[in-house]
Amino acid sequence: STTKYSMWSFLPRYLYLQFSKAANAFFLLITVLQQIPDVSPTGKYTTLLPLVAILVISGIKEIMEDYRRHMADKIINTKTTIVLRQDSWQIAMWKEVNVGDIVKASNKEFLPADMILISSSEPQAMCYMATSNLDGETNLKIRQALPQTAGKQSERQLLTLSGRVECEGPNRHMDSFAGTLYLRGRSPVPIGPDQLLLRGTQLINTQWIIGIVVYTGFDTKFMQNSVKSPLKRSNVEKVTNMQILFLFLLLVVMAVLSCVGAVIWNQTYGTNIWYMRKDIDSSSHSFGFDILVFIILYHNLIPISLLVTLEIVKYVQAQFINWDEDMHYKVNNVYAMARTSNLNEELGQVKYLFSDKTGTLTCNIMTFKKCTIAGIIYGYISPPHFPLEIIQTEMLVKFSVLPHSQSPSYITEPYEFNDPKLLENVANGHPTEHYINEFFILLCVCHTVIPERDGNNITYQASSPDEAALVKGAKNLGFVFTTRTPYSVTIEVRGEEYTFEILNVLEFSSDRKRMSIIVRTPSGKLRLYCKGADTVIYERLSEHSLFVEETLAHLEHFANDGLRTLCVAYTDLTEKEYKQWLQKYKKASSGLQNRIQRIEECYDSIEKKFLLLGATAIEDRLQARVPETIATLLKANIRIWILTGDKPETAINIAYSCKLISGKMPRIHLNANSHKAAQQVINQRCRDLGNLLGKENDLALIIDGATLKYALNIDIKKKFLSLALSCRAVLCCRMSPLQKAEIVDMVKKHVSAITLAIGDGANDVGMIQTAHVGVGISGNEGMQATNNSDYAIAQFSYLEKLLLVHGAWNYLRVTKCILYCFYKNVVLYVVELWFTFSNGFSGQIIFERWCISLYNVIFTSLPPLTLGIFEQCCSKSSLLKYPQIYAVSQTGEIFNTKVNSGHYTWQSMVHCLYLFKFPLRKL
């Protein structure tokens, strides 16, 4: 069940939700006061009727939304599956599946719960799972049952299965699982992610599987990840709440003023007003009674229909975003999607934009371009660069900027790896022939790619675009990865097949930044292949490793060309060394407490004394119109920070390519290996800026993740923030997902500006949820970013239309709608205040009571709706042609507490005084 209400809980829960809002609670109080005899000058039902109408409208909306949830739940819960019960296979609905049940699923079926794989129809108890429902990835995942249960396939065998499973509690981590299987009469066996089948995944290319259920319902990882995004409130909503509070205080002041006026008037004229009251004296006239009368008389100062009006307006605005053909990515038929309508106006106030690089600014479609093997570069050689003329300004000298001997190398059109020299070296027996063969064998073996055959054609399913690019690149050079099983990998090299026995896969993680595989080669050797970031590979190299300096220089050259790099290395293992490590690994993998940490420590103990083979270089091209979009956003006074896990050189080159920084822009590099060094370099840079600190300068700041770790400490953070805010562009490199969120949180908390974070991968979820507005890009890294975002788009360039057009329009529309609602209510109901001076402060109403009641709900309901839905400050073409207009909404100068209370409220009070003194008359 994902619903909010049941048939019996709807009324109490809905009323509690509605009256927890201050405005609705206030009008409920007024309605109650109106029921007291002789208190209400406006009648008993003039507030009750509009309040009931608003509650009914909101209630219908809640019922419709919850009914859709009920229907979706019913479709899911009534799906059927096959369960082993009462000694036979029986059909049961998903909602009837319990923990401990043995379930059988057939090809193309979706799984009803999280299960541990017992056996399957495939050799070696393998199965293939499609996980697009969970992570959006289209590649197949391979899962394999434990050898201890792989033979349990018939009913009789399954009925004799006896034991228990101990596993971690329910959690939302899709890629991790720690459990232990205790079979009667056998030693415990560790269970990991390779045996876990998740609810919502689909069985593909497998006739059937059998599994035992471990998590059901809300305990499944699918449902654990279905939590709501953090509640975000727009800045306009906060200002509106302050305005409502101001109007309430104004109402109290008006009521007190009227009460004081009533006391003075009664003391002055009380003896002569026999026609109004009997036996007037001070004791019979209650000050508290009058307060209630005047609060009821003036309570409509606060517009009762404002909340409903805003909900309708924002909902329609969200639909305009969803329907916008300019943000329709026709290649994948993906439209922009407003996942929330509460933040529409925030899109018009963004000051700081935090962007991921890979998949956000770039396409995340990888192509193998270059490599370096045994100190020799292969691949397309870029044309020579031409030096930029360096203008020696005072700032260039002052900030000790690195000299630019070369211009930025802009990313070219796509091309495949093409260098005949490599194959010639292999064919002619070049001294590096052995290294070349070993290099490409590593690329064919060290990965998690799954091959799919269609006749003679082989396609590769990979969770990482990088891995697919490397395997395809090796295939084009004659090193073809053909077959994969849980225990072996088969490759074909120049017509000959070689099978490598897989002993262990040391999986990649964002902390490890590398992946390794232990294999037994066709010649019987034990070998560990590894590929990963240069920083983690280089610190694990053997002192006997060759080509270290040459490869490092080539890595810098690749990074300057904007290419993504990976180092590849290997080490040979002895049988004794491997057996000792294997015992340590089994012990680490069998425990439930801190299993992942212990396993990674175990991995680290064998990943050492590497011999470097070389490095790969992969191109990830810029998305269409990224440079133009960034240039436009910069003109709109939006500051852009790039937060990436790539090397600084790669990030700088991409920043050049997308025109975030220019060749003449001075650069400040922050690179420190200790807390003290980081503090010193940041303080020195702040002193160099002098009076320019805190002001925006034409500078670029580049910092890596290691330095950032120290810069975010509480004693340095403010200085670092001041330095960063003084720069036009900021590049944060080698960052972890947590550091991305910390950077956004730092700016969000210490700068009074609206922040927006945009990314496409799971590593961007933290910053997307932390920022005021989170935008997800539907890319090749799954759907986690879009599922946790406030707005989803298919291309970075659509951000231009989303912010400059929809953002500016929505801000103007929402603020005008709110101001109109406040204005019309003040203009009408303050007339009652001026009228009290004419009726002896008696609380008499000037308007017919049903006119008051229907004023907001019917008479003036359309004008604010029309403004909120259709108003435009400028045309779309003007907003895109002159992005500087965006600053009007960005600064928020047309809608804030000072402007609202100091200008519109007093202006409306003057207008209502004019209307009272000079009413319209018939011609």
Side-chain angles (χ1 to χ4, degrees), residues 541-578:
L541 289 179
S542 166
E543 59 184 11
H544 303 296
S545 184
L546 304 176
F547 328 116
V548 175
E549 295 300 326
E550 297 94 325
T551 304
L552 195 61
H554 296 164
L555 283 169
E556 186 175 350
H557 170 74
F558 294 155
N560 287 334
D561 281 347
L563 302 177
R564 294 163 59 87
T565 59
L566 283 175
C567 286
V568 296
Y570 75 98
T571 184
D572 288 319
L573 305 173
T574 64
E575 294 287 346
K576 180 181 178 182
E577 184 181 11
Y578 174 67

Side-chain angles (χ1 to χ4, degrees), residues 250-300:
L250 179 63
L251 184 154
V252 173
V253 169
M254 288 169 58
V256 171
L257 180 63
S258 299
C259 287
V260 171
V263 171
I264 297 173
W265 196 90
N266 281 298
Q267 288 177 352
T268 307
Y269 304 104
T271 56
N272 301 319
I273 55 171
W274 55 269
Y275 51 87
M276 290 183 64
R277 294 194 183 102
K278 296 179 180 178
D279 302 324
I280 294 296
D281 56 39
S282 59
S283 62
S284 66
H285 189 74
S286 169
F287 189 84
F289 179 89
D290 281 349
I291 280 283
L292 294 181
V293 169
F294 288 115
I295 285 178
I296 293 172
L297 182 65
Y298 302 138
H299 79 275
N300 282 302

Side-chain angles (χ1 to χ4, degrees), residues 434-714:
H434 167 72
Y435 295 103
I436 295 172
N437 284 326
E438 204 64 44
F439 181 90
F440 285 103
I441 286 173
L442 186 152
L443 296 186
C444 289
V445 173
C446 185
H447 54 70
T448 57
V449 178
I450 298 173
E452 285 190 343
R453 281 190 177 273
D454 183 10
N456 293 327
N457 187 35
I458 300 178
T459 57
Y460 297 114
Q461 298 281 350
S463 57
S464 166
D466 300 69
E467 283 196 332
L470 293 176
V471 174
K472 289 175 185 175
K475 177 186 174 184
N476 293 337
L477 293 169
F479 295 79
V480 184
F481 164 50
T482 59
T483 309
R484 182 184 199 94
T485 73
Y487 302 116
S488 67
V489 167
T490 301
I491 66 173
E492 185 179 310
V493 181
R494 292 183 289 276
E496 295 186 19
E497 283 195 349
Y498 300 92
T499 300
F500 292 77
E501 181 186 354
I502 298 176
L503 301 177
N504 300 94
V505 177
L506 284 57
E507 296 176 353
F508 173 87
S509 72
S510 57
D511 293 329
R512 283 168 39 78
K513 297 181 181 178
R514 63 190 183 277
M515 177 218 170
S516 302
I517 187 170
I518 301 175
V519 299
R520 192 177 295 277
T521 66
S523 62
K525 288 184 179 180
L526 283 175
R527 182 161 289 174
L528 186 149
Y529 289 124
C530 182
K531 64 181 182 186
D534 55 341
T535 51
V536 296
I537 298 295
Y538 264 70
E539 65 187 17
R540 289 168 173 78
L541 289 179
S542 166
E543 59 184 11
H544 303 296
S545 184
L546 304 176
F547 328 116
V548 175
E549 295 300 326
E550 297 94 325
T551 304
L552 195 61
H554 296 164
L555 283 169
E556 186 175 350
H557 170 74
F558 294 155
N560 287 334
D561 281 347
L563 302 177
R564 294 163 59 87
T565 59
L566 283 175
C567 286
V568 296
Y570 75 98
T571 184
D572 288 319
L573 305 173
T574 64
E575 294 287 346
K576 180 181 178 182
E577 184 181 11
Y578 174 67
K579 287 180 180 178
Q580 290 176 347
W581 176 84
L582 190 60
Q583 290 180 350
K584 184 179 178 182
Y585 171 72
K586 287 181 178 178
K587 184 177 179 181
S589 61
S590 61
L592 290 180
Q593 299 295 326
N594 301 320
R595 177 184 290 187
I596 295 176
Q597 181 181 349
R598 291 168 61 187
I599 288 177
E600 290 191 354
E601 290 173 356
C602 184
Y603 289 167
D604 194 56
S605 67
I606 199 171
E607 292 173 319
K608 58 186 179 181
K609 297 182 181 179
F610 285 148
L611 298 175
L612 185 65
L613 289 172
T616 63
I618 297 174
E619 182 192 59
D620 187 7
R621 292 182 297 117
L622 283 179
Q623 291 183 14
R625 294 196 69 256
V626 164
E628 295 85 349
T629 301
I630 286 182
T632 303
L633 295 177
L634 290 174
K635 289 179 183 177
N637 197 34
I638 296 175
R639 296 294 152 250
I640 301 174
W641 295 23
I642 294 180
L643 312 181
T644 178
D646 271 347
K647 293 165 64 70
E649 294 83 2
T650 304
I652 291 170
N653 191 269
I654 292 295
Y656 273 123
S657 301
C658 64
K659 298 182 181 179
L660 179 60
I661 60 178
S662 63
K664 298 178 182 179
M665 181 183 290
R667 304 202 302 257
I668 300 176
H669 288 262
L670 297 181
N671 193 354
N673 54 12
S674 68
H675 180 276
K676 185 176 180 181
Q679 190 171 28
Q680 287 176 347
V681 70
I682 290 173
N683 287 338
Q684 181 60 46
R685 297 303 187 188
C686 289
R687 285 194 294 270
D688 289 343
L689 280 171
N691 295 331
L692 299 177
L693 186 66
K695 302 175 183 178
E696 188 178 303
N697 304 285
D698 194 28
L699 298 169
L701 176 67
I702 298 98
I703 184 171
D704 59 26
T707 309
L708 194 63
K709 179 175 66 175
Y710 305 114
L712 292 177
N713 285 344
I714 193 166

Side-chain angles (χ1 to χ4, degrees), residues 60-170:
I60 292 172
K61 173 176 168 286
E62 288 283 322
I63 290 171
M64 290 174 61
E65 290 179 353
D66 213 52
Y67 179 75
R68 286 195 290 265
R69 296 189 195 104
H70 272 286
M71 291 298 99
D73 289 343
K74 185 176 181 180
I75 292 171
I76 296 294
N77 289 328
T78 55
K79 285 184 177 181
T80 58
T81 189
I82 300 175
V83 181
L84 185 62
R85 287 180 180 167
Q86 299 176 355
D87 299 341
S88 64
W89 293 112
Q90 297 183 4
I91 295 177
M93 289 191 291
W94 279 25
K95 66 181 181 180
E96 297 172 344
V97 174
N98 299 316
V99 173
D101 280 341
I102 293 178
V103 173
K104 185 174 185 178
S106 302
N107 191 35
K108 301 292 185 182
E109 283 189 8
F110 289 90
L111 302 186
D114 291 354
M115 304 189 299
I116 293 172
L117 181 62
I118 293 178
S119 59
S120 80
S121 59
E122 301 304 301
Q124 300 172 327
M126 293 167 47
C127 70
Y128 298 94
M129 307 302 302
T131 61
S132 56
N133 276 354
L134 273 62
D135 53 23
E137 296 177 0
T138 56
N139 61 291
L140 300 180
K141 305 293 195 307
I142 218 172
R143 296 291 181 261
Q144 182 184 20
L146 295 170
Q148 290 81 352
T149 63
K152 306 290 185 182
Q153 298 183 1
S154 67
E155 291 179 30
R156 180 174 296 179
Q157 290 172 322
L158 291 169
L159 290 171
T160 61
L161 189 64
S162 178
R164 75 180 192 276
V165 174
E166 288 185 3
C167 60
E168 61 189 5

Side-chain angles (χ1 to χ4, degrees), residues 221-451:
K221 292 182 182 291
F222 176 77
M223 294 302 296
Q224 290 279 313
N225 277 273
S226 299
V227 296
K228 291 183 179 180
S229 298
L231 179 63
K232 296 181 180 180
R233 295 175 58 199
S234 71
N235 189 53
V236 169
E237 184 181 347
K238 296 174 184 176
V239 174
T240 303
N241 289 337
M242 291 299 297
Q243 179 68 5
I244 289 175
L245 178 61
F246 173 80
L247 288 179
F248 178 74
L249 295 177
L250 179 63
L251 184 154
V252 173
V253 169
M254 288 169 58
V256 171
L257 180 63
S258 299
C259 287
V260 171
V263 171
I264 297 173
W265 196 90
N266 281 298
Q267 288 177 352
T268 307
Y269 304 104
T271 56
N272 301 319
I273 55 171
W274 55 269
Y275 51 87
M276 290 183 64
R277 294 194 183 102
K278 296 179 180 178
D279 302 324
I280 294 296
D281 56 39
S282 59
S283 62
S284 66
H285 189 74
S286 169
F287 189 84
F289 179 89
D290 281 349
I291 280 283
L292 294 181
V293 169
F294 288 115
I295 285 178
I296 293 172
L297 182 65
Y298 302 138
H299 79 275
N300 282 302
L301 274 175
I302 300 173
I304 191 171
S305 59
L306 176 61
L307 297 180
V308 173
T309 301
L310 286 180
E311 281 192 17
I312 296 172
V313 163
K314 291 185 177 184
Y315 174 79
V316 176
Q317 289 174 354
Q319 296 310 306
F320 286 161
I321 293 174
N322 297 342
W323 298 332
D324 194 331
E325 283 295 330
D326 292 339
M327 296 192 289
H328 176 202
Y329 188 52
K330 295 179 177 60
V331 175
N332 295 335
N333 193 29
V334 176
Y335 282 86
M337 180 170 59
R339 298 176 56 84
T340 178
S341 60
N342 296 331
L343 304 174
N344 293 342
E345 63 273 21
E346 293 282 81
L347 295 171
Q349 292 190 281
V350 174
K351 173 68 175 178
Y352 289 92
L353 190 155
F354 301 91
S355 174
D356 178 41
K357 182 183 73 66
T358 306
T360 304
L361 299 176
T362 61
C363 296
N364 202 16
I365 299 175
M366 311 299 181
T367 310
F368 184 32
K369 296 298 179 183
K370 301 181 184 180
C371 63
T372 171
I373 306 173
I376 301 174
I377 288 184
Y378 298 99
Y380 176 85
I381 307 300
S382 57
H385 300 299
F386 298 96
L388 283 173
E389 180 184 358
I390 305 299
I391 300 178
Q392 296 294 335
T393 63
E394 181 182 352
M395 291 187 96
L396 280 170
V397 175
K398 189 172 184 179
F399 297 117
S400 61
V401 181
L402 296 180
H404 296 277
S405 59
Q406 295 179 337
S407 66
S409 52
Y410 295 96
I411 295 176
T412 62
E413 290 297 315
Y415 51 83
E416 295 293 337
F417 183 93
N418 182 24
D419 193 345
K421 180 182 174 184
L422 187 146
L423 295 179
E424 289 174 5
N425 286 348
V426 174
N428 298 333
H430 192 272
T432 62
E433 178 190 1
H434 167 72
Y435 295 103
I436 295 172
N437 284 326
E438 204 64 44
F439 181 90
F440 285 103
I441 286 173
L442 186 152
L443 296 186
C444 289
V445 173
C446 185
H447 54 70
T448 57
V449 178
I450 298 173

